[in-house]
Amino acid sequence: MDSTISEFHNMFLTLKRMDAREYAHQIMSLGMVVCSALMIWKFLMLTTMSESPVVVVLSGSMEPGFQRGDILVLALPNEPFRVGDVVVFKISGRDIPIVHRIIELHEKPSGDVQILTKGDNNHVDDRGLYATNQMWLSKKDIVGKAKAFIPYVGIVTILMNDYPLLKYVLVGVMMLFVLANRES
């Protein structure tokens, strides 16, 4: 604990000794880190053809297959959906995407697809979650198909949503580290 306090004290001393030019350099470095992250996100969107190439499982509805806090890597390939595929979908009027498994699928001669989903840990299908009078999902509702997952790494995202103050503290600490980290 004393070493952590000592480290923060040293960071503050470093910040006090910096002149305006060094501050500007560090702020530009921080900006480059943010821009790099955005470019990586856009690259992932292009390569996976999904508007959201990475999502966090927010509930226990997919247990035991996926736990709360698992990160899913998504893709929206130009291949047909199959019963058993784990998909992420968005319902109009709701901000948070839902991760569930396809349990029923109907292809029409026109090429349109009707999809019914259900959480592995749920007793009933998702029609109660869909928009009013919506009985099926269509391709436009699907954000992506789960291709891989990283267990428990997304728990940080859940904690930041559950405790908003934690989000600001973590962002502040990261900014402090970036600003106080001077190149030799």
Side-chain angles (χ1 to χ4, degrees):
M1 183 72 176
D2 288 338
S3 65
T4 305
I5 293 171
S6 173
E7 186 69 31
F8 277 109
H9 180 70
N10 289 338
M11 274 194 269
F12 283 115
L13 290 176
T14 301
L15 287 172
K16 272 177 103 173
R17 283 181 287 201
M18 292 172 68
D19 61 12
R21 184 177 177 149
E22 289 174 314
Y23 273 119
H25 179 355
Q26 294 304 89
I27 289 171
M28 287 177 63
S29 295
L30 179 62
M32 288 174 51
V33 167
V34 171
C35 287
S36 295
L38 290 173
M39 288 189 317
I40 290 169
W41 184 260
K42 287 294 184 184
F43 174 76
L44 286 173
M45 286 175 65
L46 286 172
T47 56
T48 64
M49 298 194 303
S50 174
E51 70 181 67
S52 184
V54 176
V55 295
V56 176
V57 177
L58 297 176
S59 74
S61 67
M62 285 301 290
E63 290 178 359
F66 299 111
Q67 305 294 318
R68 189 170 191 252
D70 289 353
I71 289 183
L72 298 181
V73 179
L74 306 179
L76 200 54
N78 199 11
E79 61 187 43
F81 293 106
R82 306 241 182 268
V83 171
D85 286 345
V86 174
V87 294
V88 176
F89 60 92
K90 273 187 135 176
I91 302 299
S92 61
R94 296 192 186 168
D95 295 333
I96 299 174
I98 300 169
V99 179
H100 281 173
R101 189 176 306 277
I102 296 176
I103 60 167
E104 201 172 319
L105 191 69
H106 297 285
E107 288 189 56
K108 295 185 174 187
S110 64
D112 291 340
V113 178
Q114 292 180 320
I115 300 167
L116 181 63
T117 57
K118 176 183 166 294
D120 291 352
N121 201 22
N122 294 349
H123 297 292
V124 296
D125 62 42
D126 290 340
R127 287 188 171 132
L129 297 175
Y130 299 163
T132 307
N133 297 325
Q134 182 179 8
M135 299 300 288
W136 302 90
L137 296 174
S138 64
K139 278 186 179 181
K140 70 174 180 54
D141 298 315
I142 305 296
V143 175
K145 190 188 300 190
K147 293 295 185 180
F149 80 101
I150 305 166
Y152 301 113
V153 176
I155 202 73
V156 175
T157 302
I158 292 173
L159 289 173
M160 287 192 303
N161 284 332
D162 289 351
Y163 306 101
L165 181 62
L166 178 64
K167 182 186 325 183
Y168 299 115
V169 168
L170 286 176
V171 168
V173 167
M174 286 190 306
M175 286 178 62
L176 185 63
F177 274 111
V178 169
L179 288 175
N181 183 20
R182 298 194 325 181
E183 295 176 15
S184 302

